[in-house]
Amino acid sequence: MRSEKAAGQPQGSEPPAFQDLPEHYGCGPIRFRGSHDGLYERHLLFDNVVAPEDADSRERYEAIARSVRDVLSQRWQLTEQTYRRENPKRIYYLSMEFLIGRSLSNNILNLRLDPLARRLFDQEHLDETAILAEEPDAGLGNGGLGRLAACFLDSMATMQLPAMGYGLRYEYGIFKQTIVDGWQREQPDNWLRRPDPWEIARPEDAVEIDLGCSFEVRGGNLRVAVGMPSRLLGMPYDRPIVGYGGRTINTLRLWAAATPQTFDFQAFSAGEFVSALAQRLTAETVTRVLYPDDSTSMGQGLRFVQEYFLVACSLADLIRRFRATNSDWQLLSDKVAIQLNDTHPSLAVAELMRILLDEAELAWDEAWDITRRCLAYTNHTLLPEALEKWPLRWFELMLPRQLEIILEIDRRLRDEILARFPGDQGRVERASLIERGGERLVRMANLAIVGSHSTNGVAEIHSRLLRETTVRDLAEIFPGRFNNKTNGVTPRRWLLLSNPPLARCITEAVGDGWVTDLAELERMKPLVDDSGFVDSVRRAKRMAKLGFAEWLQASAGIVVDPDAIFDSQIKRIHEYKRQLLNALRIATLYNRIRENPNLDIAPRTFFFSGKAAPAYHVAKLIIKFLNNLAGTIDADPVVRGRLKVVFLPDYCVSLAERLIPASDVSNQISTAGYEASGTSNMKFMMNGALTIGTRDGATIEMAEAAGEENFFLFGLTADEVAGSRGWYSPLWHYDNEPETRAVLDLILSGHFCRYDPDVVDALRNILLTSGDVFRHLADLTSYLEADQRLQALYGDPSAWTRKALLNIANSGRFSSDRTIGEYAAEIWNAGPCPPPPERTRPR
Ligand code: 26Q
């Protein structure tokens, strides 16, 4: 035995291996209880120095997470080794947001370690729910765009694509929302307070970034110090992205900003200890916090620096990787595909040109050709106020070389347009990268379109409107660049992980192929009339509802009736998403019951959840109104027990994972033409909720897939909304529709807002006086009609479940695997690069 040899080790021979240390080293033999491999106890003991029986649930979470990481680390580095050896075309997904949520249960699931984890939880009598809840959500995003990036990473790893995500390691993610007296309050999300077992710092891969100016903090604000060039250090932190099956493990690399010189020694010796350190604080400010806005972009200098920092670090890193195995710059576009998640990283056009011109010393035409072949851009919004435009002055101060390049791109673009459309100066101005008039602005969408080979929207209607309205001139100049990639969501997190009862029921019926090929759900179709199967789907929904109700009571003390229809609208609070229209519907139902207490109406619980951008006053007011509505209904003895409104604070990925499986009804009711795609709509669909919604975003394609007869569509179309712009009047609806008038009279009488007359004034203004920009009143009547049909159907449980089942069976197209397959084939021209299948043992 090696340990015997070690114990009797004669001096001068080989020292014992660590695991062979004899008892007299002071600790006695190390023993681990249980029949598993003991990783968990080892981590508790050696990382936290705590006995398993004394550990608290946070320590347990860390030990389990580290054990899971142990299991994946070998495959993780094997994946990277394979990419280095095979040198395939790599995909880089650049995004200012990755809304990851929790990782432990997802990684266990994707590694197929769930049976092992189950045994550990059982043997050690661990409280699984409490332990999983110790992991903070990684909330590095605002909403749809950030969550889409996270779903894409899951799909790319599952499909064994050689892909990598690049983002920022914000110290503070999306703020925590609390509700005080009905109003939203924001609290900082200090998610990294405790060590995060999923991140690995890679100081050896740090990069240095040059800026044309310095920054100082004055009076709490970041200010530019002109004419003082500075450097930032980009410190990478890697997170594993486990593909389903655990064969491919890709990397999400997040950059943290730091000062390159750990100390300014000269200042230090001159007695400037404090200011030397203070400068370091300034550098770290750059990645301190995620901007909590998802619809306006104006006026934030620090955001501009954040965007450049992401671009500069990521490009430096991927170019270094390219150069390690390739000497010919001409090969760059054969080896690198860079996807820009919205315009936020679109400075990549100028930065890549700078690298190719100044570092690779290529000629302009060569550099331009390579840049365009490498880059592709995804647009996520048509809202004009959300289109990024940065003051040209900021470029002068911070990025003078990049500005020079942008102006040269613009000069050539103008020449090209004039050559093709002689005399059309209007078109030149509209398509230009520079907006003139007032202060000169750089139009980031135009930069991204002109400097890339592909521009895509995220649903058919959105891609069409993008081409026909938002950037029409550029679409006419470069028609071949424009394409659609309808969004999708990962069925691993959004069905297999979040809804075990339904996932089991589906697998029992059609096998488990759907997990990696969601189109397989279609095989459920022949079973729609099989009453046994329909019953099992109904029971699965019931279990999810019971589970949610239990959790809600335990965690928030809120009691809901699982026999009620669970009717949800969960998303950012925004006027165009029309939470107010939902409130008008609920207030109308309330009115109907009060006027006719014997009304036969199915009990319903309406769930709202979502955050408002802290500076978006109207959105915050909508939250207040929803809470007042909830309170008034709860206090009304006639309506209480029949209708209930619940506003769930602090919407996040983990809350969505709980509520979506439990929901019967999904509200997707944006003003048509405004929601680019939506993605929660898809999650609801695959979890067997029925959708009541407008013809907007991907909801249109979902209804097409499920059959309109299995959907509750209502309201104006996007073309009708656009066409009504000249003549629409909310007053017409108030004057001519008795229920519309009644509900407005009730709301404007202050019935729900007795102590908040300001809220009433604001609602009057939004819905009537200011012209009801988002057409709430135009769609209210048809919303109520669709709602009536939906209620009637609920009275027939097997007809309801039949429709739910057809929705699930037709949701296969909305897997992010399908979306990523299209990006890979049609934009990136890249394919899988699987690591060798056998387990390799450490040498
Ligand atoms: C820009 C500049 C400065 C500060 C913030 C921003 C910013 C940040 C986030 C602007 C927009 C966003 C996020 C947008 C977003 O989430 N859009 C949603 O993207 C989803 C995925 O494609 C779609 O499904 C939704 O329809 C779309 O609203």
Side-chain angles (χ1 to χ4, degrees):
M1 292 265 295
R2 291 169 77 194
S3 58
E4 279 163 26
K5 186 180 145 210
Q9 200 76 33
Q11 274 221 332
S13 67
E14 255 188 45
F18 268 120
Q19 68 271 26
D20 298 332
L21 287 178
E23 287 189 24
H24 67 256
Y25 275 73
C27 54
I30 297 162
R31 299 211 188 288
F32 299 107
R33 295 174 307 127
S35 58
H36 50 84
D37 66 7
L39 279 179
Y40 165 69
E41 278 96 342
R42 276 172 189 266
H43 279 294
L44 280 177
L45 184 57
F46 297 130
D47 301 345
N48 294 71
V49 195
V50 63
E53 58 275 20
D54 295 335
D56 65 19
S57 39
R58 168 69 203 191
E59 289 163 329
R60 289 181 172 159
Y61 156 70
E62 282 180 23
I64 297 173
R66 292 203 175 103
S67 308
V68 172
R69 205 183 86 184
D70 291 347
V71 174
L72 65 78
S73 36
Q74 220 185 339
R75 294 285 323 173
W76 193 5
Q77 53 90 25
L78 182 65
T79 304
E80 184 51 38
Q81 272 173 3
T82 306
Y83 297 163
R84 273 206 301 264
R85 193 181 56 240
E86 304 285 326
N87 194 19
K89 182 170 189 182
R90 299 215 199 198
I91 301 153
Y92 295 104
Y93 198 82
L94 265 63
S95 178
M96 288 287 282
E97 306 196 1
F98 287 92
L99 193 46
I100 300 166
R102 291 187 175 132
S103 293
L104 177 56
S105 50
N106 193 250
N107 288 347
I108 289 176
L109 181 89
N110 280 12
L111 289 165
R112 315 287 302 265
L113 289 176
D114 27 325
L116 246 85
R118 172 100 339 277
R119 204 169 67 202
L120 176 71
F121 284 122
D122 289 349
Q123 276 178 357
E124 305 286 320
H125 308 291
L126 302 177
D127 179 346
E128 181 178 353
T129 315
I131 290 174
L132 296 180
E134 288 292 337
E135 179 174 10
D137 265 41
L140 309 183
N142 276 286
L145 167 149
R147 183 54 233 176
L148 184 77
C151 283
F152 280 4
L153 293 181
D154 180 275
S155 285
M156 292 190 288
T158 298
M159 297 164 80
Q160 308 207 294
L161 291 168
M164 189 165 173
Y166 278 120
L168 294 184
R169 182 181 180 268
Y170 302 108
E171 244 171 84
Y172 294 87
I174 186 69
F175 62 85
K176 296 263 163 211
Q177 179 196 56
T178 56
I179 301 295
V180 178
D181 192 23
W183 295 97
Q184 166 173 301
R185 288 263 180 90
E186 300 93 23
Q187 249 85 48
D189 164 42
N190 190 0
W191 72 295
L192 291 171
R193 192 169 19 216
R194 303 276 211 125
D196 182 345
W198 303 115
E199 67 173 18
I200 316 274
R202 302 278 191 203
E204 66 279 12
D205 286 352
V207 295
E208 294 199 346
I209 301 306
D210 289 311
L211 284 172
C213 62
S214 312
F215 302 96
E216 44 197 21
V217 180
R218 287 258 177 92
N221 289 321
L222 190 78
R223 292 169 51 123
V224 174
V226 184
M228 291 179 59
S230 65
R231 275 198 157 173
L232 288 174
L233 189 76
M235 180 67 72
Y237 287 80
D238 288 354
R239 309 175 72 86
I241 304 297
V242 181
Y244 187 71
R247 291 193 184 289
T248 287
I249 300 185
N250 283 338
T251 299
L252 169 58
R253 177 159 277 195
L254 301 180
W255 299 101
T259 301
Q261 327 85 318
T262 34
F263 237 92
D264 182 338
F265 283 102
Q266 245 183 332
F268 182 54
S269 54
E272 304 269 339
F273 178 82
V274 170
S275 60
L277 271 180
Q279 202 204 329
R280 182 165 148 185
L281 276 181
T282 310
E284 285 156 8
T285 305
V286 171
T287 48
R288 184 88 71 215
V289 56
L290 166 79
Y291 274 91
D293 314 84
D294 67 345
S295 56
T296 50
S297 82
M298 295 318 279
Q300 298 142 336
L302 180 58
R303 165 82 181 191
F304 182 66
V305 181
Q306 286 185 337
E307 293 185 356
Y308 178 66
F309 181 72
L310 167 67
V311 162
C313 292
S314 309
L315 290 185
D317 194 53
L318 70 86
I319 292 281
R320 182 172 57 192
R321 191 170 302 112
F322 168 76
R323 296 289 285 170
T325 32
N326 306 278
S327 52
D328 185 357
W329 285 100
Q330 301 296 336
L331 289 179
L332 191 70
S333 60
D334 294 337
K335 295 296 175 188
V336 167
I338 300 169
Q339 192 67 35
L340 306 175
N341 200 19
D342 215 297
T343 51
H344 315 157
S346 59
L347 283 168
V349 175
E351 180 68 2
L352 187 52
M353 280 299 284
R354 186 193 65 75
I355 294 170
L356 295 174
L357 292 171
D358 301 354
E359 294 178 14
E361 301 186 328
L362 301 183
W364 181 277
D365 288 336
E366 275 178 316
W368 184 238
D369 189 48
I370 295 172
T371 297
R372 285 207 30 244
R373 284 173 192 269
C374 286
L375 296 175
Y377 156 60
T378 304
N379 173 286
H380 296 267
T381 185
L382 302 173
L383 294 182
E385 66 270 27
L387 288 180
E388 288 190 296
K389 292 172 191 173
W390 296 113
L392 196 134
R393 199 167 35 86
W394 294 2
F395 284 82
E396 282 170 350
L397 291 173
M398 293 183 228
L399 306 171
R401 176 60 180 143
Q402 288 80 356
L403 176 60
E404 227 167 54
I405 292 170
I406 288 172
L407 293 177
E408 177 61 13
I409 297 172
D410 191 52
R411 192 187 66 76
R412 288 167 179 251
L413 174 68
R414 289 164 163 270
D415 285 353
E416 186 182 340
I417 300 173
L418 274 182
R420 286 177 50 190
F421 302 88
D424 196 346
Q425 198 58 37
R427 181 184 295 269
V428 172
E429 291 310 326
R430 290 190 304 271
S432 165
L433 307 190
I434 311 296
E435 188 165 299
R436 283 152 235 260
E439 179 179 21
R440 279 187 300 169
L441 301 170
V442 179
R443 296 169 172 151
M444 303 309 280
N446 296 31
L447 176 64
I449 294 166
V450 173
S452 65
H453 69 280
S454 164
T455 293
N456 74 281
V458 290
E460 292 286 353
I461 184 181
H462 166 67
S463 297
R464 175 175 72 82
L465 293 173
L466 184 68
R467 262 185 284 115
E468 291 177 357
T469 62
T470 317
V471 291
R472 180 166 164 185
D473 294 288
L474 284 167
E476 284 171 7
I477 300 166
F478 308 116
R481 285 182 203 180
F482 284 76
N483 66 96
N484 172 250
K485 295 287 167 282
T486 299
N487 283 166
V489 303
T490 169
R492 271 74 63 185
R493 183 179 289 265
W494 295 109
L495 183 49
L496 185 59
L497 180 64
S498 64
N499 198 346
L502 181 61
R504 226 176 290 128
C505 162
I506 295 172
T507 297
E508 276 165 19
V510 301
D512 65 0
W514 61 270
V515 175
T516 50
D517 178 8
L518 203 62
E520 292 254 316
L521 292 179
E522 287 199 23
R523 294 173 51 191
M524 292 163 62
K525 280 188 199 164
L527 300 173
V528 284
D529 295 314
D530 174 331
S531 63
F533 183 59
V534 173
D535 271 357
S536 74
V537 171
R538 190 162 52 234
R539 277 197 303 273
K541 178 61 76 183
R542 175 92 192 155
M543 279 175 74
K545 289 176 79 172
L546 285 169
F548 181 78
E550 241 169 62
W551 171 81
L552 190 60
Q553 177 154 27
S555 61
I558 299 172
V559 177
V560 292
D561 170 12
D563 289 326
I565 304 175
F566 283 9
D567 180 305
S568 303
Q569 188 180 15
I570 51 176
K571 46 186 80 251
R572 285 298 284 245
I573 311 294
H574 206 293
E575 287 164 278
Y576 85 76
K577 294 179 188 278
R578 295 200 295 191
Q579 280 90 358
L580 267 186
L581 177 60
N582 194 349
L584 289 173
R585 172 184 64 143
I586 297 166
T588 305
L589 298 179
Y590 169 83
N591 228 357
R592 284 183 191 165
I593 296 178
R594 287 188 348 136
E595 299 209 327
N596 176 7
N598 297 320
L599 190 71
D600 181 25
I601 186 170
R604 257 221 259 191
T605 302
F606 301 94
F607 293 101
F608 288 93
S609 198
K611 294 176 183 176
Y616 188 174
H617 297 296
V618 171
K620 292 178 119 171
L621 203 128
I622 292 171
I623 293 178
K624 171 63 175 163
F625 182 65
L626 296 175
N627 281 301
N628 282 10
L629 182 66
T632 309
I633 290 179
D634 273 346
D636 190 320
V638 179
V639 183
R640 187 173 43 211
R642 303 169 77 180
L643 301 183
K644 184 170 179 66
V645 176
V646 180
F647 188 97
L648 300 161
D650 203 37
Y651 184 50
C652 59
V653 171
S654 293
L655 179 56
E657 285 170 14
R658 291 181 188 283
L659 181 55
I660 291 172
S663 296
D664 299 300
V665 179
S666 158
N667 284 269
Q668 306 298 335
I669 58 174
S670 52
T671 315
Y674 282 86
E675 189 69 272
S677 161
T679 42
S680 76
N681 46 1
M682 303 169 184
K683 299 164 193 168
F684 279 107
M685 183 186 191
M686 54 186 74
N687 280 280
L690 296 189
T691 305
I692 183 165
T694 47
R695 291 175 178 81
D696 201 15
T699 304
I700 298 176
E701 291 159 66
M702 288 163 41
E704 237 165 59
E708 287 210 5
E709 68 284 7
N710 299 310
F711 252 66
F712 296 91
L713 292 178
F714 69 90
L716 300 179
T717 63
D719 291 342
E720 287 166 347
V721 170
S724 74
R725 221 145 261 159
W727 54 264
Y728 173 71
S729 161
L731 278 174
W732 186 91
H733 295 277
Y734 179 82
D735 288 338
N736 292 283
E737 296 167 354
E739 268 201 320
T740 303
R741 183 187 201 110
V743 76
L744 278 171
D745 284 346
L746 184 68
I747 291 171
L748 299 182
S749 76
H751 182 79
F752 302 101
C753 301
R754 265 196 289 165
Y755 307 104
D756 306 287
D758 294 353
V759 175
V760 176
D761 289 345
L763 292 178
R764 181 183 300 108
N765 193 33
I766 298 167
L767 296 173
L768 290 173
T769 334
S770 290
D772 184 19
V773 176
F774 293 99
R775 306 295 191 267
H776 296 86
L777 302 196
D779 281 350
L780 178 57
T781 304
S782 58
Y783 188 21
L784 288 164
E785 279 164 14
D787 191 74
Q788 200 69 46
R789 283 184 272 134
L790 185 142
Q791 280 189 61
L793 184 72
Y794 198 76
D796 181 349
S798 50
W800 178 280
T801 309
R802 190 177 184 281
K803 282 204 195 306
L805 218 154
L806 284 168
N807 269 272
I808 301 170
N810 288 305
S811 68
R813 181 155 183 267
F814 305 101
S815 163
S816 44
D817 299 347
R818 188 268 311 150
T819 315
I820 286 298
E822 292 175 8
Y823 275 88
E826 297 163 23
I827 299 179
W828 302 329
N829 188 26
C833 180
E838 319 83 56
R839 274 176 64 96
T840 49
R841 312 250 3 124
R843 269 178 244 145

